Amino acid sequence: MLAALLRRRPWPAAGVLLCGAGAALAALALPAALGVTVDRLLSGGAVPWQWIALCAALTLTEVALDAAVALLGGVNSARLTRWLRERALAGVLRTEPHRAAAFTPGDLTTRLTATTTAAADAPVAAASTVCAVLLPVGGLVGILLTDVWTALALLAGIPPLILLLRVFTRDTTAATADYQRAQATVATRLSEAVDGAATVRAAGTARYEHARVTAPLAELDVHGRRTWRVYGHAVGLSSVLLPVLTALVLAVGGLRLAAGALSVGELVAVSRYATLAVGVGAVTGALGSLARSRAAGARLGPVLTLPPFTHRGAAPPPGGPGTLELRGVAVVREGVHVLRDVRLTVPAGSSLAVVGRSGAGKSTLAAVAGRLLDPDAGDVRLDGVRLADVDPVVLRSEIGYAFGRPALFGPTVADAIAFGTRRPDPGEVRDAAHAAAADPFVRLLPHGYDTPLEDAPMSGGERQRLGLARAFAHPGRLLILDDATSGLDTATERRVQRALDRHSTRRTRLIVAHRVATAARADRVAWLEDGAVRAVGPHTRLWRDPEYRAVFHGESVPEQSGVPAVEDRTEAAR
């Protein structure tokens, strides 16, 4: 993660490192300048204004460079955060939906927000760590150059300091990772509760949901306290060790001063260098920040490495009729066949209804047919071209989708209908809304088609109509309706179906159907059972099978006298 961030924005990180190193060098030069200034003042000669000016200049330089580090670091982290979020979101949108579904909504939200912010701090944290280490190392070198004996006294305490920093870094990384996982659990449960708020109210389980959502807060508290305990232990141990080392250095320095081996100015310099050498506060802070960034990078990694859909840049032949073929398609999830050896051909311009009991694989088949999902075996072709070879941008312009629970994007209702690879003009938007029976309720909104989505409360059926309008506004050679009319009343569905027949005479249609009427209007029906195609044919012929009828009734219907004729049933359904 750190290497990728440095490759993305190398110069700001280099600027932070240079400014931080410059500030450290100024801080290291100051004790020597102070020592010379003190000796010159005590010598009784002229006031050493040039040395006093140098001390002031070094102090101002350190302050200015620290400010530059804060500015450069803040801007760099903000821009890297934006880049990481865009890259992670693009990866989620470009991969197969089932891969993205491995992350719960709450978990994905925390990874795209707080986790990216922490991960983006890695270059600044790494540069700050290097600069923070310069101070104790430089302090030790300064003492060594000033007086070897005082340096040896300081070296006696270095191994415990190194061990302290190592343990601090290890424990901070582990505590931060656990805290982020608990945070994701809270976010996931909260997202579930918000999505199901109506169900919670209807069931009267608000207290239970409150307890379920807040239960991980105890774990979050544990990991948060653990983080502070690690920090507290490091500070506590250093607060004992560092004064002892400083006192030891000063004691040796005092003896050397009494013996005439050190001047007063050199003792001042040694005392300042000792403070820098044993001042691990800046190092622990930088290491803690780096540990948090590493933990965040590890959590963000799986999102950034989601494999995208592959393709070879192919395209269906221009003006192709829209023949859809599924050849031996199989989909396996966790060892279970969701689809098995599905072989279907939907002739150009015709409609195929896909029916079956819940869990039969209907929506999976619809996803495979439009390459929202790649099969584990077999392939899907549109006008003879494998979907896996087609450029995704071209593919999305050729295949339209409408879903049972459509997500609406855009600032206004018109934008939600126009959302797609091509921007239809306002007339096309209104025509599509009229075809989807959405125009009447849209006109009743406060600003009609210009009404902001957040100011347009809609029922499930109204959202479905906008989803259908979006599909109608982006005509291609294939239209896939995944239970897209389930929320419509019978009269509205009939109007939509008539508009669909009228506007889609040259579009191939694959329709996931749960209603008899929807299946009856299709040219043919594919009957799925346990992921396999049990039968394909006209609805009138399949209706003779009582098990096919049970798909719609939800129970077995035995053959017996008195069952209305198939033609009568079909006509009634129409």
Side-chain angles (χ1 to χ4, degrees):
M1 177 64 71
L2 176 59
L5 295 174
L6 288 174
R7 285 194 299 269
R8 177 66 183 178
R9 291 180 58 82
W11 298 115
V16 169
L17 181 61
L18 289 175
C19 290
L25 292 176
L28 290 171
L30 184 58
L34 284 173
V36 173
T37 302
V38 169
D39 284 340
R40 294 288 178 90
L41 288 171
L42 294 177
S43 66
V47 177
W49 292 110
Q50 69 274 21
W51 286 98
I52 294 174
L54 177 60
C55 292
L58 289 173
T59 302
L60 291 174
T61 299
E62 182 182 0
V63 172
L65 290 177
D66 282 340
V69 167
L71 178 61
L72 282 174
V75 172
N76 186 59
S77 295
R79 292 182 176 175
L80 285 177
T81 298
R82 182 185 67 182
W83 177 69
L84 281 176
R85 287 175 179 169
E86 290 175 348
R87 184 181 167 196
L89 183 59
V92 170
L93 296 177
R94 289 172 183 169
T95 195
E96 295 182 58
H98 82 274
R99 296 185 186 276
F103 306 96
T104 62
D107 182 24
L108 191 58
T109 299
T110 57
R111 292 184 195 234
L112 293 177
T113 52
T115 302
T116 52
T117 301
D121 286 336
V124 174
S128 299
T129 301
V130 171
C131 297
V133 170
L134 283 177
L135 291 175
V137 172
L140 177 60
V141 172
I143 296 177
L144 187 62
L145 293 176
T146 305
D147 185 69
V148 175
W149 291 101
T150 52
L152 291 176
L154 179 63
L155 283 173
I158 295 300
L161 280 177
I162 294 176
L163 179 61
L164 175 65
L165 293 175
R166 184 168 178 267
V167 173
F168 171 76
T169 304
R170 181 196 64 197
D171 293 348
T172 299
T173 301
T176 301
D178 292 339
Y179 185 89
Q180 291 173 347
R181 280 193 291 270
Q183 193 177 43
T185 301
V186 173
T188 297
R189 294 185 180 183
L190 181 59
S191 175
E192 293 170 351
V194 171
D195 287 342
T199 302
V200 172
R201 285 196 298 270
T205 57
R207 289 186 178 180
Y208 170 79
E209 277 304 303
H210 180 272
R212 189 179 74 90
V213 171
T214 57
L217 292 178
E219 182 183 357
L220 199 66
D221 177 69
V222 169
H223 296 314
R225 291 176 181 274
R226 176 182 164 198
T227 302
W228 284 109
R229 266 201 312 274
V230 170
Y231 185 77
H233 287 164
V235 171
L237 290 173
S238 62
S239 65
V240 173
L241 181 61
L242 301 187
V244 171
L245 286 176
T246 304
L248 181 60
V249 169
L250 291 177
V252 174
L255 292 175
R256 299 284 289 166
L257 176 64
L262 284 179
S263 66
V264 174
E266 288 174 330
L267 182 61
V268 170
V270 165
S271 65
R272 294 280 298 174
Y273 281 130
T275 302
L276 294 176
V278 300
V280 297
V283 180
T284 54
L287 286 175
S289 179
L290 184 59
R292 288 190 293 273
S293 296
R294 288 179 57 193
R299 281 185 54 77
L300 194 60
V303 180
L304 296 176
T305 56
L306 285 170
F309 277 117
T310 58
H311 66 89
R312 298 180 181 178
T323 300
L324 177 67
E325 299 173 84
L326 286 82
R327 302 181 176 183
V329 167
V331 175
V332 182
R333 291 292 174 267
E334 298 180 357
V336 177
H337 276 80
V338 182
L339 294 177
R340 61 180 78 233
D341 195 27
V342 174
R343 300 177 184 274
L344 287 173
T345 298
V346 187
S350 68
S351 59
L352 176 73
V354 180
V355 305
R357 296 181 185 275
S358 178
K362 302 183 295 299
S363 291
T364 303
L365 189 147
V368 168
R371 211 197 174 198
L372 295 182
L373 174 68
D374 276 338
D376 296 298
D379 63 71
V380 183
R381 299 181 181 237
L382 184 62
D383 288 331
V385 179
R386 295 175 69 247
L387 296 190
D389 296 338
V390 179
D391 186 308
V393 175
V394 175
L395 191 64
R396 297 280 74 87
S397 66
E398 295 290 350
I399 301 176
Y401 263 97
F403 302 96
R405 298 180 62 186
L408 302 178
F409 297 96
T412 67
V413 172
D415 292 318
I417 297 174
F419 187 78
T421 57
R422 181 187 69 86
R423 175 80 184 192
D425 60 48
E428 291 176 303
V429 168
R430 285 171 171 77
D431 288 343
H434 184 77
D439 183 73
F441 85 81
V442 172
R443 290 184 179 276
L444 294 176
L445 294 173
H447 303 288
Y449 286 88
D450 294 326
T451 302
L453 279 177
E454 60 266 23
D455 297 335
M458 289 176 282
S459 66
E462 289 168 340
R463 293 182 70 88
Q464 280 193 351
R465 279 182 266 178
L466 288 186
L468 285 165
R470 181 173 59 197
F472 291 162
H474 299 86
R477 64 186 75 191
L478 174 63
L479 176 63
I480 299 175
L481 305 180
D482 186 1
D483 200 21
T485 60
S486 61
L488 307 184
D489 59 80
T490 304
T492 302
E493 184 183 16
R494 286 178 180 173
R495 288 200 300 272
V496 171
Q497 289 290 353
R498 284 196 295 270
L500 184 62
D501 295 338
R502 192 166 56 250
H503 289 270
S504 302
T505 53
R506 299 182 61 184
R507 297 177 78 179
T508 306
R509 285 149 286 155
L510 189 147
I511 307 163
V512 174
H514 291 84
R515 293 179 178 178
V516 174
T518 307
R521 295 186 71 92
D523 297 317
R524 291 192 308 158
V525 176
W527 176 13
L528 289 188
E529 190 171 275
D530 295 329
V533 177
R534 176 164 173 173
V536 178
H539 172 76
T540 53
R541 177 167 61 81
L542 295 178
W543 189 259
R544 298 188 182 101
D545 190 329
E547 295 190 22
Y548 175 78
R549 298 198 297 272
V551 168
F552 300 98
H553 292 295
E555 58 183 13
S556 178
V557 180
E559 291 184 301
Q560 56 183 349
S561 59
V563 175
V566 171
E567 290 77 8
D568 295 339
R569 287 262 187 148
T570 304
E571 195 60 31
R574 291 181 184 274

